């Protein structure tokens, strides 16, 4: 009986994760070309996490306790520890893709689309689809030496 109950809970979690991923993907897509951090808490050149949080809020509501992150380091720590998020191995639409800042090498955060990654463009502060997984890996992993992590919201 316990095994069956655990299996049913697992299936329900996966259904919810797929729904949340779809909501996040749709919000990221709908935000294309918009300024997603109009309060400018962070400078546009470093506003990827602030912008991500606004897209997340549009799709799924506030982070717990209304948290607003401005750092890939702090956001990664939260995603890694929160029971609301699970590590992913593929960047399906709506998957959170994050390269974490190390020292002076600035990371970045994206929301995966079908073929492109959505994120804040540091040059103009707009939410765009300027990367693919390959170009993100080439730049953040190969050029900067930062590891890319992926998460899905349960």
């Amino acid at each position: 009986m316990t095994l069956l109950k655990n299996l049913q809970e697992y299936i329900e979690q996966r259904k919810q994760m797929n729904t949340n991923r779809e909501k996040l993907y749709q919000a990221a897509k709908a935000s294309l070309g918009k300024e997603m951090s109009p309060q400018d808490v962070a400078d546009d050149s470093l506003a990827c996490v602030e912008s991500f949080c606004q897209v997340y809020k549009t799709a799924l509501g506030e982070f717990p306790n209304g948290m607003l992150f401005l750092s890939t380091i702090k956001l990664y720590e939260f995603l890694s520890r929160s029971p609301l998020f699970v590590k992913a191995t593929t960047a399906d639409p709506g998957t959170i893709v994050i390269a974490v800042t190390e020292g002076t090498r600035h990371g970045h955060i994206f929301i995966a689309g079908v073929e492109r990654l959505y994120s804040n463009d540091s040059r103009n502060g707009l939410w765009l689809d300027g990367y693919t997984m390959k170009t993100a890996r080439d730049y953040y992993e190969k050029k900067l030496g930062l590891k890319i992590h992926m998460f899905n919201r349960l």
Side-chain angles (χ1 to χ4, degrees):
M1 186 67 166
T2 303
L3 182 59
L4 179 59
K5 183 179 178 190
N6 288 344
L7 181 58
Q8 289 170 331
E9 287 174 2
Y10 175 80
I11 291 169
E12 285 307 309
Q13 276 187 333
R14 291 297 163 184
K15 285 180 186 175
Q16 186 62 44
M17 182 179 70
N18 290 339
T19 300
N20 286 336
R21 249 195 9 246
E22 179 64 22
K23 288 178 184 176
L24 197 51
Y25 164 62
Q26 291 299 334
K29 189 173 154 184
S31 299
L32 270 174
K34 296 178 183 173
E35 161 74 64
M36 294 310 295
S37 57
Q39 295 88 1
D40 287 327
V41 177
D43 182 84
D44 282 344
S45 66
L46 296 170
C48 66
V49 175
E50 180 184 3
S51 297
F52 163 81
C53 287
Q54 293 305 317
V55 174
Y56 181 95
K57 181 179 177 181
T58 299
L60 301 169
E62 300 273 353
F63 276 102
N65 302 323
M67 299 165 92
L68 171 65
F69 296 93
L70 299 176
S71 153
T72 58
I73 297 167
K74 295 294 184 191
L75 181 57
Y76 172 73
E77 289 172 356
F78 173 79
L79 295 174
S80 296
R81 293 184 180 135
S82 173
L84 299 174
F85 296 88
V86 294
K87 286 200 174 254
T89 56
T90 59
D92 297 314
T95 295
I96 299 164
V97 179
I98 184 169
V100 183
T101 296
E102 290 182 16
T104 58
R105 295 169 293 151
H106 293 286
H108 203 66
I109 188 162
F110 309 90
I111 298 171
V114 174
E115 293 180 8
R116 313 245 348 136
L117 300 177
Y118 300 103
S119 68
N120 178 70
D121 187 313
S122 300
R123 296 169 295 186
N124 57 24
L126 299 178
W127 188 259
L128 299 175
D129 61 350
Y131 285 86
T132 63
M133 271 308 292
K134 181 186 181 329
T135 59
R137 286 193 188 284
D138 286 348
Y139 184 73
Y140 289 98
E141 285 187 332
K142 292 179 182 173
K143 184 174 181 180
L144 296 183
L146 302 175
K147 186 170 171 54
I148 289 182
H149 306 272
M150 294 181 279
F151 294 89
N152 286 318
R153 170 69 161 83
L154 289 178

